[in-house]
Amino acid sequence: MANRQLNPNSESTDNYLKAILALGGPEESRVTSNALARHLDVAPASITNMLQKLAAASTPLVEYERHHGVQLSPSGKKRALEVVRHHRLIETFLYEVLDYPIEEVHEEAERLEHFISERFEQRIAAKLGYPKIDPHGHCIPAMSGRMPKQSSMLLTEAALKTNVLVESVSDRDAGTLKLLKASGIGPGVQIRLQERTPASRCTVVVGRSSKMLELPENIAHSIRVRPLDK
Amino acid sequence: MANRQLNPNSESTDNYLKAILALGGPEESRVTSNALARHLDVAPASITNMLQKLAAASTPLVEYERHHGVQLSPSGKKRALEVVRHHRLIETFLYEVLDYPIEEVHEEAERLEHFISERFEQRIAAKLGYPKIDPHGHCIPAMSGRMPKQSSMLLTEAALKTNVLVESVSDRDAGTLKLLKASGIGPGVQIRLQERTPASRCTVVVGRSSKMLELPENIAHSIRVRPLDK
DNA sequence: CACGACGTTTAGGCATACCTAAATATTAGG
DNA sequence: CCTAATATTTAGGTATGCCTAAACGTCGTG
């Protein structure tokens, strides 16, 4: 037989909840064991084990059905949003107050998000003027609130020869962020997709200086944009 | 047979090293299992087990001899000082930058000290102007340095009717710190021990307003002072 | 609608760090 | 200097979270 008890305050629990939130998307659809295994880089069997514990906890953190994936319970969603809020506030704090280079905030936040107190969260939020987005352009979920819906699309899906605003960039890869910084691409910057080349490249125009750049697909794929108009 | 392998980066390892540093004192004398068990609130058998692992690690963190206690190895001391530096820098940061009440900095620092990066340490040190003491009056060990020796004594050991300066206060109990704050006692404040009553009380004079206070022994015992003269 | 590919779960194990109970070593008092 | 009290260690066990291998379910396709 496997293991019985969950530590509901562990880093591990936090990471499972975050992953279920992220993979479930705004519709909060059910998430499969397989998807979690890939996302968390953990063996599928370990996922099952952990999901069973998350579901069997005294205050269940997920709703789980054999062979049919999981969803966050209300408690689970609350904690997941709290951890995401911590992550993004910490990123903002590192960037704004401690002058971290943008590509290094994620790793530090990923560790610290599990360990800061309510008070710490409150104090950095106050210090930063209760920001609504982090340095990558991701929204910071409100204390008592929910995730606002994304109305954005991937740069690779944008209409050709149309100006768009960069809404956010993925924080997952430091190298990508460094490259984007060097290219002058970040949230709020205006860009235009010139062509969608078959060799998976995009050509774009940046800001007023209107540089031409070639972005490999994986880079272009880490940029979310929204129409300029409204 | 017991356990074999140490996780040299665990919170637990950090706490053992800190405890050995603290209990060994400036002379770095050997520390007994019993003292560690009391200090860490862990069963003596668990101490032995952990000490054996700390000593048997690929880079040993302690020098251990059966029935004769432990001492930090050079690597162990380096890490212990690093953790103490983290702790005290974080306390200073929480107090100076995030406006924490003094009695709440310890608990937060105690958690975060294990998880911050070198960069985080550097950045908050820079932000604070490379402070040498924390808000409780404890010295912050230098990056490449050692603990400066304390030339102070406990208030309960001070000469009677002689002005002394408060050097530091213990950070271990939030209640004590709150009481001291309310009494106006903190690092740099001038006080004088009026009498050493048998019922374990001390009467003191605080600063220019020269209030008379009665301090229970446990409170007086949490204050370190040094002569005013030099 | 049966079968095979793939996803998921069960079973059994390992590692870290804790525990208690029992055995053994050290030390202090007479 | 021997014994009793105390400190320490050994032995064996628990809890959490990970692993692999093998069994089992689900579902698309022929």
mmCIF file of all heavy atoms in Angstrom, chain B residues 99-122:
data_model
loop_
_atom_site.group_PDB
_atom_site.id
_atom_site.type_symbol
_atom_site.label_atom_id
_atom_site.label_comp_id
_atom_site.label_asym_id
_atom_site.label_seq_id
_atom_site.Cartn_x
_atom_site.Cartn_y
_atom_site.Cartn_z
ATOM 1 N N ASP B 99 8.926 48.028 7.534
ATOM 2 C CA ASP B 99 8.241 48.569 8.718
ATOM 3 C C ASP B 99 7.585 47.517 9.592
ATOM 4 O O ASP B 99 6.506 47.753 10.153
ATOM 5 C CB ASP B 99 7.179 49.594 8.284
ATOM 6 C CG ASP B 99 7.807 50.768 7.576
ATOM 7 O OD1 ASP B 99 8.818 51.276 8.074
ATOM 8 O OD2 ASP B 99 7.300 51.164 6.505
ATOM 9 N N TYR B 100 8.226 46.364 9.707
ATOM 10 C CA TYR B 100 7.721 45.356 10.646
ATOM 11 C C TYR B 100 7.871 45.871 12.073
ATOM 12 O O TYR B 100 8.855 46.557 12.385
ATOM 13 C CB TYR B 100 8.545 44.070 10.531
ATOM 14 C CG TYR B 100 8.014 43.037 9.592
ATOM 15 C CD1 TYR B 100 7.754 43.338 8.269
ATOM 16 C CD2 TYR B 100 7.796 41.733 10.023
ATOM 17 C CE1 TYR B 100 7.284 42.368 7.410
ATOM 18 C CE2 TYR B 100 7.331 40.751 9.164
ATOM 19 C CZ TYR B 100 7.080 41.078 7.852
ATOM 20 O OH TYR B 100 6.629 40.110 7.010
ATOM 21 N N PRO B 101 6.926 45.509 12.954
ATOM 22 C CA PRO B 101 7.178 45.735 14.378
ATOM 23 C C PRO B 101 8.330 44.827 14.823
ATOM 24 O O PRO B 101 8.433 43.692 14.353
ATOM 25 C CB PRO B 101 5.870 45.318 15.058
ATOM 26 C CG PRO B 101 5.047 44.636 14.034
ATOM 27 C CD PRO B 101 5.636 44.882 12.684
ATOM 28 N N ILE B 102 9.177 45.351 15.688
ATOM 29 C CA ILE B 102 10.401 44.641 16.083
ATOM 30 C C ILE B 102 10.141 43.214 16.543
ATOM 31 O O ILE B 102 10.923 42.310 16.261
ATOM 32 C CB ILE B 102 11.141 45.424 17.197
ATOM 33 C CG1 ILE B 102 12.459 44.745 17.589
ATOM 34 C CG2 ILE B 102 10.288 45.560 18.450
ATOM 35 C CD1 ILE B 102 13.599 45.131 16.744
ATOM 36 N N GLU B 103 9.009 43.002 17.226
ATOM 37 C CA GLU B 103 8.782 41.673 17.807
ATOM 38 C C GLU B 103 8.352 40.655 16.759
ATOM 39 O O GLU B 103 8.222 39.471 17.067
ATOM 40 C CB GLU B 103 7.751 41.749 18.942
ATOM 41 C CG GLU B 103 6.340 42.083 18.516
ATOM 42 C CD GLU B 103 6.060 43.572 18.464
ATOM 43 O OE1 GLU B 103 7.038 44.370 18.414
ATOM 44 O OE2 GLU B 103 4.867 43.944 18.454
ATOM 45 N N GLU B 104 8.171 41.066 15.523
ATOM 46 C CA GLU B 104 7.747 40.094 14.509
ATOM 47 C C GLU B 104 8.806 39.760 13.480
ATOM 48 O O GLU B 104 8.596 38.904 12.626
ATOM 49 C CB GLU B 104 6.480 40.599 13.805
ATOM 50 C CG GLU B 104 5.341 40.700 14.795
ATOM 51 C CD GLU B 104 3.972 40.789 14.136
ATOM 52 O OE1 GLU B 104 3.871 40.511 12.924
ATOM 53 O OE2 GLU B 104 3.022 41.133 14.852
ATOM 54 N N VAL B 105 9.938 40.436 13.538
ATOM 55 C CA VAL B 105 10.958 40.174 12.520
ATOM 56 C C VAL B 105 11.591 38.786 12.666
ATOM 57 O O VAL B 105 11.912 38.130 11.679
ATOM 58 C CB VAL B 105 12.071 41.246 12.500
ATOM 59 C CG1 VAL B 105 11.486 42.621 12.215
ATOM 60 C CG2 VAL B 105 12.873 41.249 13.782
ATOM 61 N N HIS B 106 11.738 38.328 13.906
ATOM 62 C CA HIS B 106 12.457 37.070 14.116
ATOM 63 C C HIS B 106 11.790 35.880 13.439
ATOM 64 O O HIS B 106 12.441 35.104 12.737
ATOM 65 C CB HIS B 106 12.617 36.785 15.611
ATOM 66 C CG HIS B 106 13.283 35.475 15.906
ATOM 67 N ND1 HIS B 106 14.627 35.281 15.720
ATOM 68 C CD2 HIS B 106 12.792 34.287 16.322
ATOM 69 C CE1 HIS B 106 14.938 34.029 16.029
ATOM 70 N NE2 HIS B 106 13.839 33.407 16.395
ATOM 71 N N GLU B 107 10.503 35.756 13.657
ATOM 72 C CA GLU B 107 9.797 34.589 13.130
ATOM 73 C C GLU B 107 9.892 34.515 11.599
ATOM 74 O O GLU B 107 10.163 33.466 11.031
ATOM 75 C CB GLU B 107 8.329 34.635 13.566
ATOM 76 C CG GLU B 107 7.591 33.337 13.296
ATOM 77 C CD GLU B 107 6.077 33.510 13.400
ATOM 78 O OE1 GLU B 107 5.614 34.348 14.211
ATOM 79 O OE2 GLU B 107 5.368 32.820 12.644
ATOM 80 N N GLU B 108 9.697 35.664 10.957
ATOM 81 C CA GLU B 108 9.769 35.680 9.489
ATOM 82 C C GLU B 108 11.193 35.358 9.027
ATOM 83 O O GLU B 108 11.393 34.565 8.099
ATOM 84 C CB GLU B 108 9.353 37.060 8.966
ATOM 85 C CG GLU B 108 9.181 37.124 7.455
ATOM 86 C CD GLU B 108 7.748 36.846 7.014
ATOM 87 O OE1 GLU B 108 6.800 37.340 7.660
ATOM 88 O OE2 GLU B 108 7.562 36.128 6.019
ATOM 89 N N ALA B 109 12.180 35.953 9.682
ATOM 90 C CA ALA B 109 13.574 35.721 9.292
ATOM 91 C C ALA B 109 13.964 34.257 9.494
ATOM 92 O O ALA B 109 14.711 33.692 8.699
ATOM 93 C CB ALA B 109 14.509 36.629 10.090
ATOM 94 N N GLU B 110 13.434 33.672 10.545
ATOM 95 C CA GLU B 110 13.746 32.286 10.875
ATOM 96 C C GLU B 110 13.328 31.336 9.742
ATOM 97 O O GLU B 110 13.973 30.324 9.472
ATOM 98 C CB GLU B 110 13.013 31.913 12.171
ATOM 99 C CG GLU B 110 13.454 30.634 12.804
ATOM 100 C CD GLU B 110 14.835 30.702 13.427
ATOM 101 O OE1 GLU B 110 15.423 31.805 13.514
ATOM 102 O OE2 GLU B 110 15.341 29.638 13.793
ATOM 103 N N ARG B 111 12.236 31.686 9.085
ATOM 104 C CA ARG B 111 11.802 30.876 7.938
ATOM 105 C C ARG B 111 12.603 31.203 6.685
ATOM 106 O O ARG B 111 13.100 30.329 5.994
ATOM 107 C CB ARG B 111 10.315 31.130 7.656
ATOM 108 C CG ARG B 111 9.405 29.955 7.987
ATOM 109 C CD ARG B 111 7.947 30.301 7.713
ATOM 110 N NE ARG B 111 7.519 31.462 8.484
ATOM 111 C CZ ARG B 111 7.162 32.620 7.982
ATOM 112 N NH1 ARG B 111 7.146 32.811 6.682
ATOM 113 N NH2 ARG B 111 6.808 33.617 8.777
ATOM 114 N N LEU B 112 12.720 32.502 6.383
ATOM 115 C CA LEU B 112 13.284 32.896 5.089
ATOM 116 C C LEU B 112 14.791 32.700 4.982
ATOM 117 O O LEU B 112 15.326 32.539 3.887
ATOM 118 C CB LEU B 112 12.934 34.363 4.804
ATOM 119 C CG LEU B 112 11.441 34.658 4.657
ATOM 120 C CD1 LEU B 112 11.223 36.131 4.317
ATOM 121 C CD2 LEU B 112 10.816 33.781 3.562
ATOM 122 N N GLU B 113 15.490 32.700 6.105
ATOM 123 C CA GLU B 113 16.957 32.627 6.091
ATOM 124 C C GLU B 113 17.496 31.435 5.291
ATOM 125 O O GLU B 113 18.595 31.492 4.764
ATOM 126 C CB GLU B 113 17.492 32.548 7.517
ATOM 127 C CG GLU B 113 17.040 31.305 8.261
ATOM 128 C CD GLU B 113 17.448 31.300 9.736
ATOM 129 O OE1 GLU B 113 18.024 32.286 10.219
ATOM 130 O OE2 GLU B 113 17.163 30.284 10.408
ATOM 131 N N HIS B 114 16.696 30.377 5.202
ATOM 132 C CA HIS B 114 17.161 29.163 4.521
ATOM 133 C C HIS B 114 16.989 29.212 3.002
ATOM 134 O O HIS B 114 17.532 28.373 2.298
ATOM 135 C CB HIS B 114 16.391 27.946 5.039
ATOM 136 C CG HIS B 114 16.346 27.878 6.530
ATOM 137 N ND1 HIS B 114 17.452 27.587 7.286
ATOM 138 C CD2 HIS B 114 15.340 28.103 7.409
ATOM 139 C CE1 HIS B 114 17.117 27.622 8.577
ATOM 140 N NE2 HIS B 114 15.841 27.933 8.679
ATOM 141 N N PHE B 115 16.193 30.147 2.530
ATOM 142 C CA PHE B 115 15.748 30.057 1.145
ATOM 143 C C PHE B 115 16.193 31.204 0.252
ATOM 144 O O PHE B 115 15.993 31.147 -0.954
ATOM 145 C CB PHE B 115 14.216 29.951 1.113
ATOM 146 C CG PHE B 115 13.684 28.833 1.957
ATOM 147 C CD1 PHE B 115 12.976 29.077 3.112
ATOM 148 C CD2 PHE B 115 13.953 27.513 1.607
ATOM 149 C CE1 PHE B 115 12.517 28.043 3.903
ATOM 150 C CE2 PHE B 115 13.492 26.467 2.385
ATOM 151 C CZ PHE B 115 12.773 26.724 3.542
ATOM 152 N N ILE B 116 16.774 32.239 0.804
ATOM 153 C CA ILE B 116 17.178 33.357 -0.048
ATOM 154 C C ILE B 116 18.486 33.032 -0.762
ATOM 155 O O ILE B 116 19.324 32.292 -0.264
ATOM 156 C CB ILE B 116 17.305 34.673 0.743
ATOM 157 C CG1 ILE B 116 18.472 34.632 1.716
ATOM 158 C CG2 ILE B 116 16.002 34.991 1.483
ATOM 159 C CD1 ILE B 116 18.772 35.968 2.349
ATOM 160 N N SER B 117 18.658 33.606 -1.934
ATOM 161 C CA SER B 117 19.869 33.367 -2.724
ATOM 162 C C SER B 117 20.967 34.333 -2.303
ATOM 163 O O SER B 117 20.731 35.305 -1.590
ATOM 164 C CB SER B 117 19.560 33.583 -4.197
ATOM 165 O OG SER B 117 19.256 34.953 -4.420
ATOM 166 N N GLU B 118 22.156 34.059 -2.799
ATOM 167 C CA GLU B 118 23.275 34.979 -2.632
ATOM 168 C C GLU B 118 22.896 36.372 -3.142
ATOM 169 O O GLU B 118 23.187 37.383 -2.520
ATOM 170 C CB GLU B 118 24.480 34.495 -3.436
ATOM 171 C CG GLU B 118 25.328 33.475 -2.720
ATOM 172 C CD GLU B 118 25.931 34.024 -1.444
ATOM 173 O OE1 GLU B 118 26.690 35.001 -1.514
ATOM 174 O OE2 GLU B 118 25.614 33.484 -0.363
ATOM 175 N N ARG B 119 22.248 36.395 -4.309
ATOM 176 C CA ARG B 119 21.878 37.685 -4.892
ATOM 177 C C ARG B 119 20.940 38.459 -3.977
ATOM 178 O O ARG B 119 21.091 39.659 -3.783
ATOM 179 C CB ARG B 119 21.234 37.469 -6.254
ATOM 180 C CG ARG B 119 20.614 38.727 -6.835
ATOM 181 C CD ARG B 119 20.304 38.571 -8.304
ATOM 182 N NE ARG B 119 21.135 39.441 -9.087
ATOM 183 C CZ ARG B 119 21.900 39.057 -10.085
ATOM 184 N NH1 ARG B 119 21.940 37.794 -10.432
ATOM 185 N NH2 ARG B 119 22.605 39.934 -10.746
ATOM 186 N N PHE B 120 19.955 37.747 -3.436
ATOM 187 C CA PHE B 120 19.005 38.411 -2.539
ATOM 188 C C PHE B 120 19.756 39.007 -1.349
ATOM 189 O O PHE B 120 19.546 40.171 -0.989
ATOM 190 C CB PHE B 120 17.957 37.402 -2.063
ATOM 191 C CG PHE B 120 16.773 38.015 -1.362
ATOM 192 C CD1 PHE B 120 15.609 38.291 -2.058
ATOM 193 C CD2 PHE B 120 16.832 38.302 -0.003
ATOM 194 C CE1 PHE B 120 14.511 38.849 -1.413
ATOM 195 C CE2 PHE B 120 15.737 38.868 0.651
ATOM 196 C CZ PHE B 120 14.570 39.140 -0.057
ATOM 197 N N GLU B 121 20.632 38.217 -0.792
ATOM 198 C CA GLU B 121 21.428 38.699 0.339
ATOM 199 C C GLU B 121 22.191 39.973 -0.025
ATOM 200 O O GLU B 121 22.133 40.971 0.689
ATOM 201 C CB GLU B 121 22.417 37.599 0.766
ATOM 202 C CG GLU B 121 23.303 38.027 1.912
ATOM 203 C CD GLU B 121 24.496 37.101 2.127
ATOM 204 O OE1 GLU B 121 24.343 35.877 1.974
ATOM 205 O OE2 GLU B 121 25.575 37.625 2.435
ATOM 206 N N GLN B 122 22.880 39.922 -1.157
ATOM 207 C CA GLN B 122 23.662 41.074 -1.610
ATOM 208 C C GLN B 122 22.791 42.312 -1.780
ATOM 209 O O GLN B 122 23.151 43.413 -1.372
ATOM 210 C CB GLN B 122 24.319 40.771 -2.965
ATOM 211 C CG GLN B 122 25.229 39.577 -2.975
ATOM 212 C CD GLN B 122 26.621 39.908 -2.483
ATOM 213 O OE1 GLN B 122 26.857 40.974 -1.936
ATOM 214 N NE2 GLN B 122 27.533 38.961 -2.669
#
